[in-house]
Amino acid sequence: MSEHDAVRACPACGGGPLVAWRTVPGSDPALPGDYALARCPACGSAVTLAGVPAAAHEEGAYGGGAPRGAGLAAPLLRAFDRRRLTFLARAGGRPPGRLLDVGAGRGRFVAQARAAGWAADGIEPSLRGVAGARTLGIELQQAGIDEAAVPPGSLDAATLWHVLEHLDDPGAALDRIAGWLRPGGLLVIGVPNLGSVQARAGGARWFHLDVPRHRTHFTVAGVHALLRRHGLEPVSTHHLLAEHNPFGLWQSVVSRATRTPSWLYHALKRNAPVRSRDALVTVAALVLVPVAVAAELAFALTRRGGTVAVVARRV
Ligand SMILES: [Zn+2]
């Protein structure tokens, strides 16, 4: 996509034209440079104008290998996965039924959904993810959304967890997925919320900006409009997400004082030097963690959480 194509219309709501907004530094030490963003005057969503380097999803924080502290995080990650299942359950999506995790990573959520009684499968474009899932006894279909083989109308539920923001054409992806769902089937989407308090507080260094990998930076209005344009009616929107929100707020604030953007995140991903001035700043800022937890709770109540989960029903 050229910059001129990108500025025509908003990929979320279809409105526009997009207008120049701000230039932000690459969010990953492995992807330096400045990236121009344009914003939609109608829904407030934004897009990253420059293309994404071909290997961006294999480099830096996405480089693979076990993060530091992975063992400690495992029970927490399982709890986050169960919460995603409760969003489905509250909208009437309960096992048994066929569920597809789209962009399944290493298959952790597929395993959790199977344990809960779903007939769950996943598609994942990266060989690394497919190989990782095999160690859990899960065979993912190695495919992107545009090439995956899924029978039309075959799914009771699909999940798209922090995937949509990585796609240059999110509408085309939703068209495909809506076609895989039976009428009345449910889709759960997780995306960063550009309309959040932490997006504003973090500015160009907002943790969930992840430029240039994130192509569209959605607001809730943008996600809702996008879903409706592709035959999916939003039924619930959740702002209280312990998985991403307190850390995103804390890391965004601390990033204002570190040289490396999101230093702790990148250090855990073995993507930033551990012995550094940034480490001292980060340790000092740990006292702010409870403040970030309480603040995101308050922001969720005012529906301005750092990331959101939206459940939609295929009409
Ligand atoms: Zn828009």
Side-chain angles (χ1 to χ4, degrees):
M1 189 188 299
S2 77
E3 294 196 7
H4 278 293
D5 289 334
V7 294
R8 276 191 318 225
C10 173
C13 74
L18 303 182
V19 293
W21 180 36
R22 70 195 310 179
T23 299
V24 303
S27 304
D28 188 313
L31 299 166
D34 292 322
Y35 298 90
L37 307 183
R39 199 156 198 189
C40 171
C43 76
S45 298
V47 300
T48 306
L49 291 179
V52 63
H57 287 86
E58 315 292 328
E59 292 174 335
Y62 287 48
R68 300 178 203 276
L72 291 173
L76 211 52
L77 295 175
R78 282 193 292 272
F80 296 151
D81 290 342
R82 284 194 295 273
R83 177 142 171 85
R84 217 187 306 178
L85 290 170
T86 67
F87 294 147
L88 273 177
R90 285 190 218 160
R94 292 191 176 84
R98 292 195 51 81
L99 180 151
L100 184 74
D101 192 22
V102 179
R106 293 182 171 84
R108 202 188 68 230
F109 180 72
V110 173
Q112 190 75 46
R114 284 183 184 177
W118 287 93
D121 288 296
I123 64 170
E124 165 59 35
S126 82
L127 186 58
R128 199 175 65 216
V130 171
R134 227 164 254 153
T135 67
L136 299 178
I138 288 166
E139 198 61 39
L140 300 175
Q141 183 184 155
Q142 191 188 351
I145 295 167
D146 50 353
E147 65 206 5
V150 181
S154 65
L155 301 178
D156 298 291
T159 52
L160 195 59
W161 201 246
H162 290 267
V163 171
L164 204 61
E165 64 271 29
H166 290 264
L167 307 177
D168 273 315
D169 192 347
L174 287 189
D175 270 340
R176 290 276 292 168
I177 294 167
W180 299 337
L181 286 167
R182 64 168 172 79
L186 297 171
L187 172 64
V188 183
I189 288 179
V191 286
N193 176 15
L194 187 61
S196 63
V197 176
Q198 66 175 255
R200 178 163 292 210
R205 283 192 165 203
W206 177 36
F207 175 65
H208 290 295
L209 210 49
D210 201 358
V211 168
R213 295 188 187 99
H214 287 186
R215 313 304 303 155
T216 310
H217 311 276
F218 292 100
T219 60
V220 172
V223 178
H224 285 182
L226 178 66
L227 287 164
R228 290 197 176 103
R229 290 167 67 212
H230 297 279
L232 295 152
E233 183 59 29
V235 293
S236 63
T237 303
H238 306 271
H239 289 253
L240 190 61
L241 291 152
E243 179 172 359
H244 291 116
N245 293 1
F247 182 76
L249 175 63
W250 176 84
Q251 183 68 92
S252 297
V253 170
V254 178
S255 265
R256 289 185 163 267
T258 57
R259 290 193 184 122
T260 301
S262 303
W263 176 84
L264 179 59
Y265 170 75
H266 290 295
L268 290 171
K269 292 280 188 177
R270 305 176 194 276
N271 189 35
V274 170
R275 287 170 188 276
S276 63
R277 172 187 165 277
D278 287 350
L280 297 175
V281 171
T282 299
V283 168
L286 288 176
V287 297
L288 296 175
V289 168
V291 180
V293 171
E296 271 298 325
L297 182 60
F299 301 155
L301 294 173
T302 55
R303 308 198 68 70
R304 294 186 71 195
T307 70
V308 290
V310 180
V311 183
R313 179 173 283 117
R314 191 199 151 184
V315 292

